[in-house]
Amino acid sequence: MKVAVIGGGAAGFFSAISAKTHNPDAQVTIYERSDKLLSKVRISGGGRCNVTHHCFKIHELVKFYPRGEKPLKKAFGIFSPTDTISWFNDRGVELKTESDGRMFPVSDSSQTIIDCLMKEVHNLGIGIKTKSAIKTLKESKNGLILGFKNGETKEVERVVVATGGSPRTEGFNWLRELGHNTEEPVPSLFTFNMPDESITKLMGVVADPVSVKIMGSKLKSEGPLLITHWGMSGPAILKLSSFGARELNEMNYEFKTLINWTGELSEQEIRETLKGVVEEYGKKRIHNVNPFELPGRLWEFLIEKVEVGENMIWQNMGKKNINRMVHILMNDEYSVSGKTTFKEEFVTCGGISLQDIDIKTMHSKKVPNLYFAGEVLDIDGVTGGFNFQAAWTTGFIAGKLR
């Protein structure tokens, strides 16, 4: 049996390895359009490769996927983060867990993961053909016919498509021609640009935890926030960009965001805290008492916004200034105009509709002998190793060729 895996990324490699492992007599070949293999693995996590996430309860794990949450429950029941850790461990790659739950190789180098996957492919006798762009895919009597960009064709019995996400809907035309429905691709992991906001002078400051809302929507997120020289980033923003991918795209990335710098504290809790400060530290300058333990530079910046002067003491704040401080701490407003890709990691939502896929086998419901894995599907996760976990899981299942 000839098996073609289209795509030389994480999902493609894992699909090919799974296919050869489950079908030892099969002739498995990976076809990659460029001359680079596992390029996203190489740059992930700042070159360290965020392999998966330390979340082993499936009902909790699926909450990190804005698209694909419900179907992934079944998929993770077949191949979970625990299985990922065991798989790499069995091949001499030990993973470590960081404080935020992200898991990396102990070597802190993505090359360790690349070497492991390349070695496994070599040991199993899986073929690799780079600069092999596939233009068309057609059904045949015995399987499928690959049509290459150079005009050549090749007939195989099984095909796994693991081509990754596409920034444009036209990138899925060759799969739509086979009858598949697709969801419009839009960016789903990005930071917020704030070209007209002076808070960017605090670049490098991290506030944790904060709560972020998008005005005019129900979108909300919590977690650490990083102020950058172009705007805002960090887990709270990235999670919001992922869950709000389609809505923010419709807004053309022009919107206002409200930030509660105290995290999830209510207005009453903030007022009670400030009242306690006035009673206990009444004669101290407000600059010298930081009741919510915010980063120093951020606290100074917020006091400037209250406009009370640098020598103001707490007991002289008065009702009007306290009200203004409560508002700024709880509903600090910023204008967002545009987005920036998160580091070099490009993630899209959209792709092959999950309604066209049997999630337990990753088999196409439209075309016999055709399977899908990875970001080509309408599945994407927030940052933290979740997208790679989806690639390992869907690749492992697709490779069974059931």
Side-chain angles (χ1 to χ4, degrees):
M1 179 171 64
K2 290 186 176 70
V3 180
V5 177
I6 308 174
F13 266 69
F14 225 67
S15 297
I17 290 166
S18 177
K20 187 67 176 174
T21 304
H22 289 107
N23 307 274
D25 296 332
Q27 183 187 320
V28 182
T29 307
I30 297 170
Y31 295 93
E32 166 57 40
R33 66 184 302 169
S34 71
D35 58 355
K36 293 183 176 69
L37 297 165
L38 300 165
S39 54
K40 256 193 179 179
V41 173
R42 188 175 299 281
I43 63 171
S44 158
R48 297 195 296 146
C49 188
N50 186 183
V51 178
T52 186
H53 199 92
H54 195 271
C55 182
F56 305 129
K57 292 178 180 175
I58 292 173
H59 68 280
E60 291 293 332
L61 179 63
V62 295
K63 291 177 184 175
F64 293 96
Y65 294 86
R67 282 145 294 271
E69 176 181 344
K70 198 173 177 183
L72 281 172
K73 280 185 182 176
K74 295 176 184 174
F76 289 141
I78 299 169
F79 194 89
S80 68
T82 305
D83 297 310
T84 299
I85 295 162
S86 297
W87 192 91
F88 281 103
N89 197 50
D90 290 347
R91 287 154 185 81
V93 178
E94 192 182 340
L95 303 180
K96 62 176 180 177
T97 306
E98 302 209 332
S99 58
D100 57 4
R102 293 182 302 161
M103 298 192 73
F104 296 88
V106 292
S107 65
D108 274 332
S109 171
S110 58
Q111 192 62 45
T112 303
I113 303 301
I114 292 170
D115 291 344
C116 174
L117 294 169
M118 291 295 289
K119 184 181 177 183
E120 192 71 6
V121 161
H122 177 75
N123 289 346
L124 291 170
I126 295 167
I128 297 176
K129 293 190 181 295
T130 55
K131 295 184 180 176
S132 297
I134 289 161
K135 199 174 180 183
T136 60
L137 198 56
K138 293 178 180 174
E139 292 183 70
S140 68
K141 190 178 178 182
N142 299 315
L144 293 141
I145 298 171
L146 308 174
F148 293 87
K149 210 169 183 181
N150 62 9
E152 291 179 15
T153 60
K154 184 177 179 66
E155 187 171 5
V156 297
E157 280 78 23
R158 301 281 191 280
V159 171
V160 180
V161 176
T163 47
S166 170
R168 291 180 299 276
T169 191
E170 300 83 57
F172 300 116
N173 282 350
W174 63 298
L175 298 169
R176 269 204 293 265
E177 286 168 10
L178 289 165
H180 294 102
N181 296 297
T182 58
E183 302 295 338
E184 185 76 19
V186 297
S188 72
L189 201 61
F190 49 86
T191 61
F192 293 175
N193 289 358
M194 299 176 173
D196 302 321
E197 297 289 1
S198 60
I199 196 167
T200 54
K201 68 186 180 186
L202 303 184
M203 60 181 183
V205 169
V206 174
D208 182 22
V210 302
S211 175
V212 189
K213 294 178 186 173
I214 305 297
M215 285 178 71
S217 80
K218 292 181 179 178
L219 295 170
K220 185 182 175 185
S221 166
E222 300 82 35
L225 181 147
L226 168 67
I227 299 166
T228 68
H229 64 84
W230 66 85
M232 291 180 182
S233 182
I237 298 296
L238 294 167
K239 185 179 174 185
L240 203 55
S241 77
S242 194
F243 277 88
R246 295 205 176 280
E247 215 170 321
L248 299 180
N249 179 258
E250 286 167 12
M251 294 178 182
N252 201 29
Y253 309 106
E254 301 277 341
F255 53 89
K256 291 187 187 296
T257 182
L258 293 174
I259 297 173
N260 183 338
W261 294 107
T262 70
E264 288 288 277
L265 292 186
S266 67
E267 181 178 344
Q268 186 180 346
E269 288 171 318
I270 294 171
R271 286 188 181 279
E272 285 295 323
T273 301
L274 293 178
K275 185 183 175 185
V277 170
V278 171
E279 289 172 358
E280 191 171 348
Y281 303 102
K283 293 185 178 179
K284 290 201 170 187
R285 289 170 64 237
I286 61 171
H287 286 262
N288 294 339
V289 182
N290 185 343
F292 300 99
E293 297 182 355
L294 299 175
R297 288 168 63 204
L298 175 61
W299 179 236
E300 295 279 333
F301 177 80
L302 296 178
I303 291 171
E304 274 180 42
K305 291 185 87 170
V306 180
E307 298 176 339
V308 291
E310 59 181 69
N311 293 317
M312 172 65 76
I313 60 173
W314 280 101
Q315 66 183 17
N316 291 343
M317 278 287 279
K319 189 176 179 182
K320 186 179 174 184
N321 286 330
I322 289 289
N323 286 343
R324 189 161 164 74
M325 179 169 275
V326 170
H327 179 75
I328 284 171
L329 283 166
M330 194 176 170
N331 291 296
D332 201 12
E333 184 179 313
Y334 295 93
S335 294
V336 176
S337 181
K339 60 177 174 51
T340 299
T341 301
F342 175 56
K343 297 184 179 175
E344 293 169 289
E345 298 179 32
F346 183 78
V347 176
T348 57
C349 75
I352 299 296
S353 171
L354 297 184
Q355 293 180 345
D356 289 356
I357 307 296
D358 179 349
I359 202 77
K360 289 182 178 177
T361 60
M362 304 314 298
H363 188 268
S364 166
K365 292 179 182 177
K366 304 283 186 178
V367 181
N369 308 311
L370 180 62
Y371 302 80
F372 291 93
E375 272 189 57
V376 69
L377 295 159
D378 186 28
I379 290 174
D380 63 287
V382 300
T383 184
F386 300 104
N387 285 299
F388 272 135
Q389 183 56 54
W392 312 133
T393 294
T394 55
F396 178 85
I397 297 169
K400 289 185 171 187
L401 306 176
R402 299 283 154 79

